[in-house]
Every structure is written in C-alpha cells, then in structure tokens.
Amino acid sequence: MTAPVLLWLRRELRLTDNPALRAALATGRPVIPVFVLDDETPGAWAPGGASRWWLHHSLAALGADLVRLGAPLVLRRGRLDFEIARLVAETGAVEVHAGTPTEPWARAAYRTVIDAIAPVKLRCTMTALLHHPDEIRTQAGTPYGVFTPFGRAVRAHGPIALPEPAPADIPGGAAVASDDLESWGLLPAAPDWAGGLRTAWSPGEAGAQARLREFVAEGLDQYRARRDLPGTDGTSRLSPFFAWGEISPRQVWHSSAACEKFRDEVLWREFAAHLLWHNPTLPDAPLRAEFAAMPWRDDQAGLRAWQRGQTGIPIVDAGMRQLWHTGWMHNRVRMIVASFLVKHLMLPWQLGEAWFWDTLVDADLAQNAASWQWVAGSGADAAPYFRVFNPVLQGRKFDPDGAYVRRYVPELALLPDSVVHAPWEAPALVREAAGIRLGATYPAPVVELAAGRDRALQAFAALRKVA
Ligand SMILES: Cc1cc2nc3c(=O)[nH]c(=O)nc-3n(C[C@H](O)[C@H](O)[C@H](O)COP(=O)(O)OP(=O)(O)OC[C@H]3O[C@@H](n4cnc5c(N)ncnc54)[C@H](O)[C@@H]3O)c2cc1C
C-alpha cells in the first residue's frame, strides 16, 4: 500500500480553499487528517473556555465532513511534537502537511515538531492569511508598524488568488486509532454556561459559509453605515469562524468586493498578524517600553465588577454581559470596555486580554493582543494615550435609543433614552418610576468618570516625562 501523508489541521478547520489540504492531495498519496489538542506545550496559549466550546462543535462538524469524503479525522491529545511524531511512526507517513503557524509559541512548537519527525519533512502552507507576514514590507525592507500604509501596501501587492473549492473526495489511509471527542470534555458540564452560545452560533464550516452568504446578501451594503451601532446586527460576525479557520480570508475577500470599508477590517486582521509575527512579545509586554513603568492599580473588586458587567456604567456592563452570554462583543463596545478597564480603572491591559481570551469565541492571539495594546496606548499604531473614551458619550452616540443597553442590562429597560446611559443623572423620581435603586437594583458607578479620567491622564503624563 502507498505510504500516506499526514494533514495536520490546527487553525484551518475547513475543506474549502485550504492550501494545506491541497498540498497534501497534490502528493497523490493517501491523506490522514489529524488534530492534536495541546494543553501541554510550555508557553502555549491553550484555548480558553468559550473557544473550547466552539472547538468541540467545529471538530464534530469537520469530522462528519471528512468521513463523508473518505478520510476520517484522527484526534489526539498531548504535546504537539510528541503526538505528531507518534502519528508519523504509527502510520508510516512520508510527509506532514500543515498550515503555517502565526503565533510565536506555535512557531517555536513547530520547530520542535520538525526535529521530532526528521527525516520526515513538515511542509507548511499559509492558510490563515491573505499573505505571509514576511511578504509585505516597506520600501526599506522593514515590517510595517502603522496600519494605513500597511493596508495600502497589501492592496498594491497584486491580485489575491481566487479561493479553491473543497475537494469532492479525499483518498484516506489505513485506519488509525483516534480519541473520542466527547472524552476531551471541551463542553462545560457543571455548570453548563453555554446556553447563550448555543443560541447565538453554528460553529463549523457549513455555519461559516451560511453566515458569509447571509452577510453578503443582507449586511454588506449597510456595513459602512451600521458597523459602529451595537444595537443593530451591522457587522458580519465572521470572527469566530476566522479564529478557527473555518472560512478562508481569500473567500471573504473575494465575496466583499462591493464594500472596501469591510475589506479594511479584513486587513486589520492581517495587520494584527503582521505585528505579532514581527513582535513575538506582543501578547505579554508593551511594545512601547516606557509603558512597563505604568503605575497600574491592584483592584480585585474593580476587576470583578468589570468582568461581571456590574460597574454601574451601562454601556460597559452591557458589553461585558453580551460577552458572558454570547461569547462575542461588538467591536465598538470592545473598545469602550477596554478603555474603561485600562484608563478609568487603571488595571493592566493584560488582565483584560486574559479575560477576553477565556470568554471570547473568536479569541485570537494577534487580534486580541494588538487591540488591547492599541487601546492602552502602548502598541505600535496605538490610540494616543490621552484619548480616554467617555463611556456615557460613547453610549449616547452609538446606542442613541439605548436598544443595546436595554437588551443586556434589562434592569435599566424602563429608563428614558436621555438617561439610560447615565442612570445616576436621572432625577430620583424618574429612577423610581423605572424601578431602579442605585446600589440595590443596579450598581452605582465603581469610579467617578471625571476623577478616573484625570487619574489616568496624570499617570500617562508622568510616564511620558520619564520617557
Ligand atoms: C480589546 C479588543 C480585543 C479584541 N480581541 C479580538 C479577538 O480576540 N479576536 C478577534 O477576532 N477580534 C478581536 N478584536 C477585533 C474586533 O473587535 C473583532 O474582530 C470584531 O468585533 C469581530 O466582529 P465581526 O466579525 O462582526 O467584525 P466585522 O466588522 O464584520 O469585520 C470583519 C472581520 O474583520 C476583522 N476585524 C474587524 N475589526 C477588527 C479589528 N478592530 N482588529 C482586527 N481585525 C478586525 C475580523 O476578523 C472580523 O471578523 C478585538 C478588539 C478589541 C478592541
């Protein structure tokens, strides 16, 4: 029997436009698809709780598709290098095909895989991005640190290849023992907190394709007008499908030619990966070194109030509760809650990054780290440190009728629009009529907004003086 190749899938859980799958098929050999759940590699960013829920359903869907095509998915759990080497030995595979890893810890782990399977070769193909992060360079040959010229350079780089259809069948190899997906315990049991996730999402490639079709048909032409309004269904909600590679960026790119503004966002995703590729400490340390001296506060009660959506600031609480219930938060509100944590509460951005990592279904190392650093002001192309979002004004501007706040903070539902973003400003009688007692039915603000802003500005100004 012809010796097989392994198709090692990690964050490209799809059959459509999957260059690693294409490369494996091009060998003409039997293909054995494998997925390894790695919670053990030192320094690995193992998936958080919400991502594990997603992953379970995504693997179940992919497994069913692969059985239909003739090559069942093999599941293994353990360190990437041990498990891939074991599979090579068990199957007699002559090559391993994989997607190019973009996370620093994964790049290091793949190097250990290369050593572990030698002389068998690991062949990586870019599956996650439109371009390899080394392909886009300034004229001086350096990486980009600012989005606008990066985006311009990608657009000038030449046409983006058309997506390739899924294969009609995959020649499978001899049967290989696989873990049982259920035995991995990726789904929450006691308590089962995933009810809101089940209502909100259909993980897997079919769900991704359906979401893309629906968005292109019904949302793309309104995207520019509605993308900043969290009370509307104005954005694509493709992010969790992107995070696990259930949809290809080339397919999304070619489906969205009618809206350059939307394509810009896809390029922000590329830019975050570019930043992480060239700055491997991005998830852990501020890119601007002076920020290491920031006098962050230690405020466990404030952190907990933020995590639970109990800060007393309606738009912040609505966002944090949307995150908790659905595993996702609107981008505008992500910026507001992040600014509130880092500036009004003066808590380190890494705490927010870690909470998002655990609770987002779209948790992505590059986008999460780059975005937190952007909001904190410590990133390459960051918001200026003195930009402190006023969450009340942001709420009034982007959720003018309070629809978003009322949906996720129902205890405020009966307040008039004029005060729904600042219940403490409402006359006592109005609050009473709406059934609200501050500090009892809804918290009083954990920080007085003007005082919190001043405290942050003073700290940032001191930091700049030192720098
Ligand atoms: C503090 C903070 C943390 C974030 N963490 C993550 C994360 O872990 N994972 C993640 O996917 N996104 C993250 N984002 C970026 C952004 O909020 C989400 O990508 C977006 O809300 C996803 O919704 P959508 O798919 O409907 O976006 P759309 O508006 O429909 O955009 C389409 C796609 O473009 C990309 N995109 C959109 N906005 C951004 C952005 N600001 N930066 C980079 N790429 C973008 C996403 O891949 C998105 O799916 C974060 C933003 C902030 C402010």
Side-chain angles (χ1 to χ4, degrees):
M1 196 173 165
T2 319
V5 296
L6 294 187
L7 170 63
W8 170 21
L9 298 167
R10 194 174 64 90
R11 287 220 175 220
E12 50 285 304
L13 304 182
R14 65 174 184 272
L15 303 173
T16 308
D17 195 37
N18 184 335
L21 167 59
R22 285 275 148 190
L25 286 171
T27 63
R29 293 175 176 277
V31 175
I32 301 179
V34 305
F35 179 89
V36 179
L37 178 65
D38 179 8
D39 289 324
E40 292 171 26
T41 291
W45 281 73
S51 292
R52 291 170 104 79
W53 174 85
W54 188 284
L55 177 63
H56 176 99
H57 294 292
S58 188
L59 288 175
L62 180 68
D65 288 345
L66 282 168
V67 164
R68 210 166 23 78
L69 264 58
L73 180 63
V74 177
L75 302 176
R76 293 290 172 91
R77 181 171 203 165
R79 267 180 63 149
L80 295 177
D81 47 0
F82 295 170
E83 294 307 320
I84 297 296
R86 195 170 292 163
L87 280 159
V88 166
E90 278 175 36
T91 59
V94 293
E95 276 178 5
V96 179
H97 288 267
T100 304
T102 55
E103 311 95 317
W105 73 265
R107 291 168 68 188
Y110 279 48
R111 286 193 285 273
T112 66
V113 171
I114 289 172
D115 292 341
I117 65 174
V120 169
K121 292 266 183 287
L122 175 64
R123 303 200 184 280
C124 291
T125 326
M126 180 49 75
T127 54
L129 300 171
L130 297 172
H131 296 293
H132 190 287
D134 275 336
E135 245 177 76
I136 307 296
R137 294 271 177 177
T138 64
Q139 283 190 343
T142 53
Y144 281 93
V146 178
F147 172 72
T148 307
F150 171 84
R152 226 181 284 130
V154 175
R155 284 190 153 97
H157 192 67
I160 286 166
L162 287 170
E164 299 194 359
D169 61 86
I170 300 176
V176 182
S178 168
D179 287 0
D180 172 23
L181 179 58
E182 301 295 329
S183 76
W184 282 0
L186 296 174
L187 299 178
D192 173 10
W193 43 256
L197 275 61
R198 283 194 290 274
T199 311
W201 301 104
S202 303
E205 186 170 6
Q209 295 294 340
R211 185 67 203 116
L212 178 63
R213 270 196 307 276
E214 193 184 335
F215 174 67
V216 168
E218 293 166 18
L220 192 61
D221 61 344
Q222 294 287 315
Y223 181 77
R224 183 181 279 276
R226 297 196 314 181
R227 58 184 286 269
D228 259 327
L229 307 176
T232 68
D233 196 7
T235 68
S236 72
R237 296 187 190 232
L238 282 169
S239 51
F241 302 104
F242 264 130
W244 286 105
E246 292 161 24
I247 193 123
S248 107
R250 298 196 296 212
Q251 191 188 359
V252 174
W253 183 263
H254 284 290
S255 305
S256 57
C259 181
E260 289 301 326
K261 186 73 200 157
F262 177 77
R263 282 181 157 186
D264 270 350
E265 299 307 312
V266 176
L267 294 185
W268 270 104
R269 175 177 179 273
E270 296 275 315
F271 181 57
H274 182 85
L275 282 180
L276 179 61
W277 185 273
H278 296 291
N279 302 279
T281 60
L282 188 74
D284 309 301
L287 274 190
R288 291 172 191 239
E290 70 265 27
F291 275 76
M294 184 76 184
W296 299 115
R297 293 171 62 243
D298 175 14
D299 175 4
Q300 289 304 314
L303 177 63
R304 205 172 157 72
W306 179 81
Q307 290 171 335
R308 303 286 159 205
Q310 296 287 348
T311 66
I313 310 295
I315 190 87
V316 174
D317 293 343
M320 297 309 292
R321 295 186 201 183
Q322 179 180 34
L323 174 60
W324 185 251
H325 289 302
T326 70
W328 185 88
M329 195 196 303
H330 190 278
N331 179 60
R332 168 59 48 183
V333 191
R334 290 188 205 205
M335 292 194 284
I336 298 170
V337 304
S339 169
F340 185 77
L341 183 81
V342 172
K343 301 199 171 161
H344 284 100
L345 292 179
M346 268 189 65
L347 290 171
W349 57 267
Q350 291 94 335
L351 292 180
E353 181 195 29
W355 182 254
F356 271 29
W357 182 258
D358 196 31
T359 53
L360 277 172
V361 286
D362 66 22
D364 172 278
L365 197 61
Q367 279 159 291
N368 200 28
S371 302
W372 275 98
Q373 292 228 32
W374 186 85
V375 174
S378 61
D381 184 13
Y385 76 95
F386 50 79
R387 188 199 289 176
V388 180
F389 276 146
N390 178 322
V392 174
L393 299 184
Q394 288 281 314
R396 286 181 178 148
K397 181 166 177 194
F398 295 108
D399 183 33
D401 59 359
Y404 179 73
V405 158
R406 289 191 174 85
R407 189 177 319 148
Y408 291 105
V409 191
E411 59 267 42
L412 301 179
L414 296 179
L415 277 178
D417 294 358
S418 58
V419 287
V420 74
H421 288 288
W424 59 91
E425 286 179 2
L429 275 177
V430 172
R431 278 206 301 267
E432 205 175 296
I436 292 162
R437 273 174 298 126
L438 286 184
T441 62
Y442 183 70
V446 290
V447 58
E448 203 264 308
L449 291 176
R453 177 175 188 278
D454 289 348
R455 179 174 63 189
L457 287 180
Q458 276 168 23
F460 281 110
L463 206 61
R464 277 173 67 89
K465 242 183 237 151
V466 173

